[in-house]
Amino acid sequence: MLSIDPLVEPPNVRLSLPGSKSITNRALVVAGLANGESSLSGVLFSEDTHVMMDSLQKMGVKIRQNSNDQSVSIIGTGGRLQRPAETIWVHQSGTTARFCLPLAALCGQEVTIDGDQQIRNRPHEGLCKALESLGAQIEYLEVANSFPLVVNGKNLKGGQITLNGSISSQFISALLLAAPCFPDQLELNIEGDLVSRPYIDMTISVMQAFGAQAERVTDRRYVISPTGYQNSRYEIEPDASAASYFFAAAAISGGSVTVEGIGNQSIQGDTGFVGIIEKMGAKVTRLDHALSVTGTGSLAGIDVSMKEISDTVPTLAAIAPLASGSTAISDVAFIAKKESDRVTALITELRKIGVKAEKTETGMIIYPGEIQKGTIHTYDDHRIAMAFSILGLVVPGITLDSPQCVAKTFPSFFDVLDQLRVAGDAKLSILAIDGPAGSGKSTLAKQVAKQLGLEYLDTGAMYRSVAAVALAQSASLDDETGIAEIAGRINIQFTNGKVYVDDDDLTEAIRSPEVNAAVSKVAANPGVRSIMRRQQRSWARVRGGGVLEGRDIGSVVFPEAQLKVYVTATPEERARRRSLESGRSVEDIMEEILQRDTKDSTRDDSPLVADQEAVVIDTTGKTIQETSDYIEELFLQ
Ligand code: DC
C-alpha cells in the first residue's frame, strides 16, 4: 500500500529520466546480433530489460552491465545465436517475449520459451504464423499460438510474408530486428489497421544505427537485406512514456516540468503526448533535446485517437476527470491485451473514486466531476500505478494497493515523483541528524525534538524492522528483490516510544545481535532504501516537519532540510558510552564499532559521511543537554 502525498506547491523542475525501455530492448537485441563489441549508454535497468539481458545471455550474447553509469558492453554473436541450455523465461516482459521468438528461431535448434501467466494470456498468433511461414517449426506445449512453446528454426529462410498490424506492432518489430540475420532477404507486408506505428519507425532507426539495410518501401512494405549488423556505440534516449506522467503532473498542478534528452529529435512516438495536453490547454516548449510543459490552470476535455501512443492512455485517462469537459479516447481497443485489460482497469478504478467513465467501441469516455479518495487496484500493471500516482498529486487520499509493479519499467519512479515535491518539502521544518554508531545521535534527537516541539523519527529503526522481519521469515538477505518486497509490504508504526510492525511490538527484537549483524546489508539494498525514504518523507509531510535521524536524511531524503547536524565522538568515547548502556566490555564494543564504521562508510548507496552542509558537532566530553541546547539554538537561528 502506498498513499500518494498531494503536492503543496506546484513543481518547477528539470528531470533526467531513465532510458527508454523500448529502445533499450531493441538496442540489446541488435547489439547481441552484431559482429564485435558494442557499447550502449543511457540504458534502462528495470525488470523488463534485465529479462531481455538474461534471455540474450542464455543464447550466447556476452553482456557486461554497469548500472552506476547506465551503460552496458555487449559482445555480439554475429547472428549466430546458441541454443540455450534451459528454457527462456520471459517473466512478464512483452517485448522480450515477442523479440525472442524470431531470435530463438535463429538458434537453429529447439528452444523452449515460457513466461508468467500474464504473458501466457497475451496473444502471439500473428508472429508465430509468420515465423512458421518463414520455415520455423513451432510446437505449442499447452495452448495453440501461446506460450509455453518450442521453436525450431533449423529450416528458417527469408522470403515474403504478410502480417496483420492491428494486434501489436511488436510482432512486426520482432521480425524486423531478427531479419538482417536471416539467410535470405525478408519482405514484410502489413495488412489491416496498423497500431503503434511510431514503434516500427523506432525499430528501423535502431537497426540502421547498427548498419542494417532496412528499407521502408511504403508504410506497409519493408525490405530487409541479409547483411547482419555491425557493432556500434549507441546512446539511448530517456523514456518518453515515463515522461508522460511528469508532463501530466505539470499540466494539472500549474507547475512546470522539463525533461532533458527528448525533444524534436526523438525517435519515440510517445513524445506526442505533449501535443495532447497542449491541445487541452497546457503550454509546451519543444527544443531539439528537451521538452517542457507548464500548466496554465485550465485544462479542457479532448476527443483524441491514441492508436499511435497507446502506452500513454492511462496517463491521459487518470488526469481526464480534472478537465473542464469530457475526454474521449479512441482507437485503443487493443490495449485490453496489455499488462492488464487497460480499458476495463481504467474505467473500474476511475469509477471507484467517483468519476463517471464509460467504455466506447474503441476506447473510453471520461467525464469531469468531483473526485473522491480511494484505493486504486494496480492490476500489477506499472502504467496503472504510475498514472494514478499523478492524479494523487492533486487529489488527496489516493492510495495504490501494490505500488511495486512500477519496477517493471521504472524502478525509481517514486523517487523521481518526489522531485516534484522539492519546493513543498523546502517549507517543512526538518532537522536532520546523522553520525556514526554510538555517537549518541538517537538520545540527542529525542531530546532536541522535545525541546523544539517536533516529533522524532528513528529511521535506523525502520531498516532494523525490515531486517527483523526478513530474519523471522528466513529470507535470504542476498535476494535484493525479495527483501525489497518485504519492505514494501510491512507497515511500520512508532507509538509511545515503541516500534510496531503490522501490529506486532518489535521494539526489543530490532536491537537483537542477529538484527545488528543483518541490518547493514538490508540498509545497503537500493530497493529497500527507496521504499524507506518514501515513507520517511511522507511521515514528515503530514506533520509539517520533524526531527529525523539517519544516514541519508540531509543528503537525499530532505536535501533542503532547515538544519543538518552530524554528531560524532571519538571511537573510544562511543565504545565507553555503549559499554555503560550494555555492561559489555569496552574492547568488544570498540571492535564492533570500528567494523560498523568501515562497513557503513564504504557502501555504495548513502555511505556514512558528513553532509557538506551539515554542522559537525563533536560530543566527546559533552553532556546530552549541552549538545541539545546548542542544536536548538542553531535550529532557531
Ligand atoms: O542507527 P542504527 O544503528 O539504528 O541504524 C541501523 C542501520 O541502518 C545502520 O546500518 C545504518 C542504517 N541506516 C541507513 O542506512 N539510513 C538511515 N537513514 C538510517 C539508518
Side-chain angles (χ1 to χ4, degrees):
M1 289 282 235
L2 174 70
S3 60
I4 306 295
D5 298 325
L7 292 169
V8 292
E9 286 281 314
N12 184 3
V13 284
R14 294 183 82 82
L15 301 175
S16 308
L17 296 182
S20 154
K21 178 197 86 168
S22 304
I23 304 178
T24 298
N25 272 355
R26 282 164 173 76
L28 286 168
V29 168
V30 166
L33 291 174
N35 283 308
E37 182 165 352
S38 296
S39 69
L40 311 181
S41 54
V43 174
L44 171 69
F45 291 96
S46 77
E47 285 174 7
D48 273 9
T49 62
H50 280 127
V51 172
M52 179 60 93
M53 289 189 234
D54 282 352
S55 307
L56 289 169
Q57 280 170 323
K58 282 187 185 153
M59 290 187 273
V61 176
K62 296 203 170 52
I63 303 181
R64 206 175 58 240
Q65 302 178 27
N66 188 349
S67 48
N68 291 331
D69 72 355
Q70 279 76 48
S71 70
V72 295
S73 319
I74 300 182
I75 300 179
T77 54
R80 288 172 295 281
L81 292 170
Q82 288 166 16
R83 175 175 188 246
E86 50 191 305
T87 297
I88 292 192
W89 190 268
V90 300
H91 294 264
Q92 301 189 356
S93 170
T95 43
T96 310
R98 275 80 191 256
F99 295 176
C100 278
L101 263 167
L103 296 184
L106 286 178
C107 295
Q109 297 182 60
E110 285 193 347
V111 178
T112 309
I113 314 182
D114 198 0
D116 296 353
Q117 196 58 43
Q118 239 187 24
I119 280 292
R120 291 180 174 195
N121 294 342
R122 289 176 75 172
H124 291 92
E125 180 169 357
L127 180 54
C128 293
K129 291 270 173 299
L131 275 175
E132 283 168 337
S133 78
L134 292 171
Q137 285 164 353
I138 305 182
E139 184 192 345
Y140 301 99
L141 299 180
E142 287 182 13
V143 178
N145 300 307
S146 302
F147 285 16
L149 46 78
V150 183
V151 185
N152 187 339
K154 71 174 189 293
N155 297 324
L156 183 77
K157 308 177 294 292
Q160 201 182 38
I161 50 159
T162 301
L163 258 177
N164 187 307
S166 66
I167 310 288
S168 168
S169 66
Q170 285 175 0
F171 293 177
I172 299 161
S173 288
L175 283 170
L176 291 174
L177 287 168
C181 300
F182 288 173
D184 309 312
Q185 168 177 294
L186 176 75
E187 190 185 314
L188 196 157
N189 297 296
I190 302 168
E191 64 175 17
D193 209 14
L194 174 58
V195 297
S196 310
R197 197 204 116 155
Y199 282 100
I200 298 177
D201 296 343
M202 175 196 286
T203 302
I204 298 280
S205 167
V206 177
M207 290 170 68
Q208 287 173 341
F210 286 79
Q213 279 177 30
E215 191 195 345
R216 183 190 306 122
V217 184
T218 68
D219 269 4
R220 295 184 167 264
R221 187 152 169 258
Y222 295 83
V223 177
I224 317 297
S225 309
T227 55
Y229 287 109
Q230 273 313 313
N231 62 332
S232 180
R233 300 177 78 81
Y234 188 78
E235 161 104 37
I236 291 162
E237 295 178 8
D239 195 291
S241 324
S244 75
Y245 306 108
F246 304 102
F247 294 140
I252 60 175
S253 65
S256 189
V257 170
T258 299
V259 175
E260 323 235 16
I262 43 173
N264 290 326
Q265 305 280 326
S266 173
I267 60 167
Q268 298 174 77
D270 280 4
T271 53
F273 180 76
V274 296
I276 296 181
I277 48 177
E278 184 174 40
K279 285 204 187 100
M280 295 172 82
K283 181 170 171 284
V284 175
T285 310
R286 297 172 176 84
L287 302 177
D288 276 355
H289 297 289
L291 283 175
S292 301
V293 173
T294 303
T296 55
S298 77
L299 207 60
I302 191 167
D303 189 340
V304 63
S305 162
M306 295 186 82
K307 176 164 97 170
E308 303 215 318
I309 56 170
S310 64
D311 274 352
T312 62
V313 169
T315 323
L316 181 61
I319 63 165
L322 300 165
S324 52
S326 60
T327 292
I329 301 174
S330 54
D331 300 330
V332 293
F334 63 98
I335 67 170
K337 297 250 188 305
K338 295 279 184 169
E339 281 81 338
S340 67
D341 171 351
R342 285 190 180 149
V343 176
T344 308
L346 287 165
I347 290 176
T348 310
E349 299 313 299
L350 284 167
R351 286 183 181 164
K352 201 186 266 178
I353 51 175
V355 174
K356 188 173 165 211
E358 286 156 10
K359 211 179 247 197
T360 58
E361 208 177 313
T362 62
M364 66 193 86
I365 180 158
I366 299 154
Y367 297 89
E370 278 295 296
I371 307 170
Q372 292 150 19
K373 65 177 185 183
T375 299
I376 302 299
H377 178 43
T378 65
Y379 303 81
D380 208 13
D381 184 341
H382 55 137
R383 301 214 180 278
I384 302 285
M386 295 192 274
F388 279 95
S389 300
I390 299 306
L391 184 62
L393 293 176
V394 299
V395 174
I398 299 293
T399 299
L400 306 180
D401 69 348
S402 65
Q404 304 85 289
C405 54
V406 302
K408 187 170 196 284
T409 54
F410 198 168
S412 60
F413 172 75
F414 293 107
D415 292 322
V416 179
L417 195 67
D418 266 338
Q419 292 183 34
L420 305 190
R421 299 194 177 94
V422 169
D425 286 351
K427 301 207 161 148
L428 300 172
S429 301
I430 303 287
L431 169 58
I433 298 191
D434 191 15
S439 59
K441 57 185 191 291
S442 308
T443 321
L444 250 176
K446 279 183 218 154
Q447 175 65 29
V448 184
K450 211 185 278 167
Q451 289 179 220
L452 292 171
L454 294 171
E455 283 186 59
Y456 157 72
L457 182 66
D458 176 359
T459 63
M462 298 173 73
Y463 291 97
R464 288 172 175 275
S465 299
V466 178
V469 174
L471 292 176
Q473 296 183 357
S474 307
S476 158
L477 300 183
D478 291 324
D479 173 11
E480 288 203 342
T481 316
I483 302 294
E485 258 167 35
I486 292 178
R489 212 170 44 231
I490 62 176
N491 177 17
I492 309 170
Q493 294 287 344
F494 295 88
T495 319
N496 300 328
K498 291 194 180 282
V499 183
Y500 295 90
V501 175
D502 298 334
D503 298 330
D504 293 336
D505 182 351
L506 294 195
T507 316
E508 306 232 321
I510 64 166
R511 307 280 160 199
S512 71
E514 293 77 20
V515 169
N516 283 347
V519 69
S520 282
K521 178 131 201 186
V522 171
N525 177 328
V528 172
R529 296 200 75 75
S530 161
I531 293 164
M532 295 294 109
R533 285 168 178 161
R534 206 185 302 153
Q535 294 180 2
Q536 290 151 16
R537 294 187 185 112
S538 199
W539 177 92
R541 286 182 194 128
V542 293
R543 290 165 175 79
V547 177
L548 291 94
E549 172 221 325
R551 192 58 27 88
D552 49 353
I553 304 302
S555 52
V556 185
V557 183
F558 287 112
E560 308 288 330
Q562 188 171 329
L563 176 67
K564 304 172 190 179
V565 294
Y566 185 87
V567 288
T568 181
T570 58
E572 294 75 16
E573 169 85 3
R574 290 189 273 142
R576 195 184 58 75
R577 288 180 189 161
R578 285 253 152 129
S579 155
L580 281 176
E581 277 166 24
S582 64
R584 290 167 55 214
S585 80
V586 176
E587 292 72 35
D588 265 11
I589 298 178
M590 254 310 256
E591 176 83 29
E592 248 178 52
I593 280 188
L594 292 176
Q595 273 178 13
R596 272 274 302 270
D597 282 358
T598 318
K599 220 178 196 173
D600 286 348
S601 57
T602 51
R603 70 171 196 227
D604 286 347
D605 192 334
S606 301
L608 176 67
V609 279
D611 188 276
Q612 278 189 342
E613 293 169 14
V615 181
V616 179
I617 304 174
D618 189 341
T619 63
T620 313
K622 296 209 180 76
T623 66
I624 300 276
Q625 193 61 53
E626 279 168 344
T627 315
S628 167
D629 288 346
Y630 177 53
I631 297 176
E632 180 184 356
E633 201 182 305
L634 290 174
F635 192 75
L636 297 177
Q637 263 173 17

